[in-house]
């Protein structure tokens, strides 16, 4: 097994601090998705194999990190996404362990910020049919809620994800907070629209001196998509929109130095984008 794959598979249940000013931030590893390149239908074999191998991965046996993030302020404990839950065996659903390793219980979480409502982000909101975080408010973007509340418009792939979105909105209905891009949802945490993967996907921007954008599912595998942002992910609801979003954000991050954290960036999930003569590349940046 290649090095990056081995590291990702070993990281389930881990918590890792990420330096940023203004708040305390931790990456929490829920586990990993074991997939092959069918999840990346645009990948050109050969080029993709070489890029994956250079990053310690294998296109036929990919391990994709599933991360959530914990934001701690003096009076709030906030989870950004909630992992995949215990629906696919022990390779996922390690978020409660990672939370415990960060020193906290689910009951202490005050706020849940959801980037979007796909299962690997929202299924962990439920435990045995009840809210897994009994005291937390659920913050979801208005456009994301609207997307899942019109199931007749969903295509076949998005319909697979519908039960997780519906369960989240139902279980937390009495403490659902609708958020909008540009809003400061917690002190020092600003919502940013990142449409494409889903129409209502949002990220969360933290820090002033060396900011980090929790960028949701703009990237699913940096080893492939930083150099080839045109290579989409199977579950991108709007393939063209997701591609444009990825290209735009990568260009901005290369230009400004903005760090990108992500749910599927190899744990601990933070990279910096570098521009060079050969195009874009990335390095790990924090955690
Ligand atoms: Zn995801």
């Amino acid at each position: 097994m290649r090095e990056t794959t081995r590291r990702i598979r070993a990281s389930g249940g881990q918590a890792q601090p990420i330096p940023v000013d203004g708040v305390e931030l931790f990456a929490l590893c829920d586990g990993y998705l074991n997939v092959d390149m069918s999840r990346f239908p645009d990948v050109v074999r050969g080029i993709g194999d070489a890029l994956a191998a250079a990053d310690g991965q294998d296109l036929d046996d990919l391990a994709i990190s599933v991360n959530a993030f914990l934001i701690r302020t003096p009076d709030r404990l906030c989870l950004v996404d909630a992992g995949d839950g215990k629906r696919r065996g022990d390779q996922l659903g390690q978020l409660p362990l990672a939370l415990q390793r960060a020193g906290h219980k689910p009951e202490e979480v005050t706020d849940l910020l959801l980037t979007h409502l796909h299962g690997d982000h929202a299924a962990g909101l439920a435990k045995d049919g009840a809210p897994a975080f009994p005291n937390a408010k659920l913050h979801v973007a208005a456009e994301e809620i609207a997307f899942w509340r019109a199931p007749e418009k969903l295509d076949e792939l998005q319909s697979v994800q519908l039960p997780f979105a519906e369960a989240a909105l139902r279980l937390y209905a009495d403490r659902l907070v609708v958020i909008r891009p540009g809003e400061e949802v917690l002190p020092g945490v600003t919502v940013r629209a990142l449409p494409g993967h889903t129409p209502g996907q949002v990220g969360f921007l933290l820090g002033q001196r060396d900011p980090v954008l929790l960028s949701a599912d703009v990237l699913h595998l940096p080893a492939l998509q930083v150099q080839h942002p045109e290579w989409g992910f199977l579950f991108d609801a709007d393939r063209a929109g997701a591609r444009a979003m990825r290209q735009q954000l990568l260009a901005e991050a290369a230009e400004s130095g903005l760090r990108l954290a992500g749910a599927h960036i190899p744990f601990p999930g933070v990279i910096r984008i570098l521009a060079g003569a050969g195009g874009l590349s990335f390095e790990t940046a924090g955690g």
Side-chain angles (χ1 to χ4, degrees), residues 116 118 120-121 197 217 220 263-264:
H116 63 298
H118 280 166
D120 53 319
H121 303 252
H197 180 61
D217 283 19
H220 285 85
H264 304 301

Side-chain angles (χ1 to χ4, degrees), residues 121-222:
H121 303 252
L125 292 170
K127 187 182 177 191
D128 303 328
F133 302 94
N135 301 312
K137 292 177 182 165
L138 179 69
H139 303 252
V140 187
E143 204 160 335
E144 186 70 9
I145 295 171
F147 179 62
W148 296 109
R149 285 197 171 151
E152 70 282 1
K153 295 183 188 165
L154 299 177
D155 66 21
E156 207 173 313
L157 283 170
Q158 297 306 313
S159 296
V160 172
Q161 306 282 354
L162 179 62
F164 309 108
E166 283 184 335
L169 295 172
R170 185 181 69 249
L171 290 173
Y172 293 82
D174 59 343
R175 44 217 160 94
L176 181 63
V177 181
V178 180
I179 58 173
R180 290 183 168 77
E183 185 180 324
E184 191 176 31
V185 65
L186 295 176
V189 181
T190 305
V191 184
R192 175 162 169 180
L194 299 171
H197 180 61
T198 65
Q201 179 174 255
V202 294
F204 300 96
L205 183 66
L206 294 83
Q208 302 280 333
R209 284 194 296 277
D210 184 12
V212 57
L213 177 67
L214 308 183
S215 60
D217 283 19
V218 172
L219 291 167
H220 285 85
L221 195 57

Side-chain angles (χ1 to χ4, degrees), residues 214-253:
L214 308 183
S215 60
D217 283 19
V218 172
L219 291 167
H220 285 85
L221 195 57
L224 300 178
Q225 292 176 305
V226 168
Q227 274 201 35
H228 289 278
E230 74 278 14
W231 290 352
F233 188 68
L234 188 66
F235 282 92
D236 289 338
D238 171 1
R239 301 285 279 282
R243 184 186 313 132
M245 187 71 252
R246 206 157 34 243
Q247 287 167 330
Q248 180 193 324
L249 189 61
L250 287 169
E252 177 191 332

